[in-house]
Amino acid sequence: GAVVSQHPSRVICKSGTSVKIECRSLDFQATTMFWYRQFPKQSLMLMATSNEGSKATYEQGVEKDKFLINHASLTLSTLTVTSAHPEDSSFYICSAQQETGDLLYNEQFFGPGTRLTVL
Amino acid sequence: EDQVTQSPEALRLQEGESSSLNCSYTVSGLRGLFWYRQDPGKGPEFLFTLYSAGEEKEKERLKATLTKKESFLHITAPKPEDSATYLCAVQVGGAQKLVFGQGTRLTINP
């Protein structure tokens, strides 16, 4: 199946600093990538949809100025958590949609996740 | 509002004891229903996509089925390595995003 990578896998930072997380589709091109957040023992919550070459679409309640998303190429999207605070500590997961040419059959593949801890 | 509900929340089985996980949904215009497996500290691993009522897909000990209101993930003669959280998600209408259920934590005891 399609492979999606994330870097870093873990990051610990001080409160007030910014953290950048990369999401790459390794063996396919992804016009669309998605960023999720997952708290312990909870399901995935979509934060934003990232489209190559255009602005991201954020879900209700997600601060676009705090969670900056850039989708500069068909294989790379980045999420920057600006001025991170302890409540931003979470597991951040990206997914990339492999487009088959048929809009009905686009499947999403997930990265391994990034554990962010803000002290 | 589109909703996805998974049950049970947690399930413990003995090795070899077959069972089913449920995913019920209330959506406007189902485009696809997805099953993923997630191990602790890792991203979801794709299992199946179902597109229309009556469709079934199988992979090793897992079989997914779909009706107009729900999907089942049947696990036959499970092994301890099948222990994981199983997530169900729906893709609706013209949207690309997935709406996830809360997941079922499955534990298979040897």
Side-chain angles (χ1 to χ4, degrees):
Chain A
V3 180
V4 177
S5 70
Q6 277 184 246
H7 178 79
S9 57
R10 289 178 177 270
V11 58
I12 300 173
C13 68
K14 292 182 179 180
S15 186
T17 61
S18 294
V19 175
K20 180 185 282 188
I21 303 169
E22 292 186 349
C23 175
R24 293 182 185 273
S25 55
L26 297 186
D27 51 2
F28 66 100
Q29 292 186 328
T31 305
T32 307
M33 291 184 173
F34 303 84
W35 287 96
Y36 295 82
R37 182 165 53 182
Q38 186 176 35
F39 292 106
K41 296 191 176 182
Q42 294 187 24
S43 193
L44 282 73
M45 295 299 295
L46 180 66
M47 299 175 66
T49 302
S50 169
N51 294 295
E52 187 266 336
S54 63
K55 290 184 178 180
T57 302
Y58 290 81
E59 294 299 300
Q60 193 171 12
V62 177
E63 300 175 59
K64 59 181 67 175
D65 293 332
K66 181 168 187 62
F67 299 99
L68 302 179
I69 291 172
N70 183 274
H71 194 153
S73 76
L74 288 173
T75 59
L76 173 65
S77 176
T78 61
L79 168 68
T80 301
V81 183
T82 62
S83 186
H85 291 285
E87 57 265 31
D88 298 323
S89 298
S90 187
F91 192 50
Y92 291 87
I93 310 174
C94 73
S95 71
Q97 184 154 284
Q98 184 176 26
E99 297 179 18
T100 62
D102 185 333
L103 289 178
L104 289 177
Y105 297 99
N106 294 326
E107 297 177 344
Q108 289 186 27
F109 297 90
F110 285 80
T114 296
R115 173 76 58 194
L116 171 64
T117 303
V118 184
L119 303 176
Chain B
E1 184 182 341
D2 300 320
Q3 284 194 325
V4 181
T5 304
Q6 289 186 248
S7 62
E9 186 175 315
L11 180 63
R12 286 184 175 272
L13 300 171
Q14 290 298 120
E15 184 173 0
E17 181 184 0
S18 301
S19 188
S20 297
L21 312 183
N22 178 264
C23 171
S24 63
Y25 59 91
T26 306
V27 300
S28 52
L30 181 71
R31 185 169 155 186
L33 186 141
F34 299 75
W35 281 99
Y36 291 88
R37 167 192 171 130
Q38 186 177 27
D39 292 300
K42 297 188 177 180
E45 174 190 342
F46 174 77
L47 294 174
F48 304 108
T49 311
L50 301 168
Y51 294 101
S52 57
E55 189 174 1
E56 298 183 353
K57 288 190 177 175
E58 285 188 70
K59 179 181 179 181
E60 297 180 353
R61 295 178 291 282
L62 299 176
K63 178 180 176 180
T65 62
L66 181 66
T67 72
K68 289 185 178 180
K69 296 181 180 179
E70 59 192 350
S71 176
F72 289 94
L73 184 65
H74 307 277
I75 182 162
T76 303
K79 298 181 178 181
E81 53 262 41
D82 295 321
S83 297
T85 295
Y86 289 85
L87 298 167
C88 167
V90 297
Q91 196 174 49
V92 182
Q96 297 171 307
K97 65 182 182 181
L98 296 178
V99 176
F100 279 87
Q102 290 299 104
T104 293
R105 291 192 306 278
L106 178 64
T107 304
I108 308 299
N109 296 316

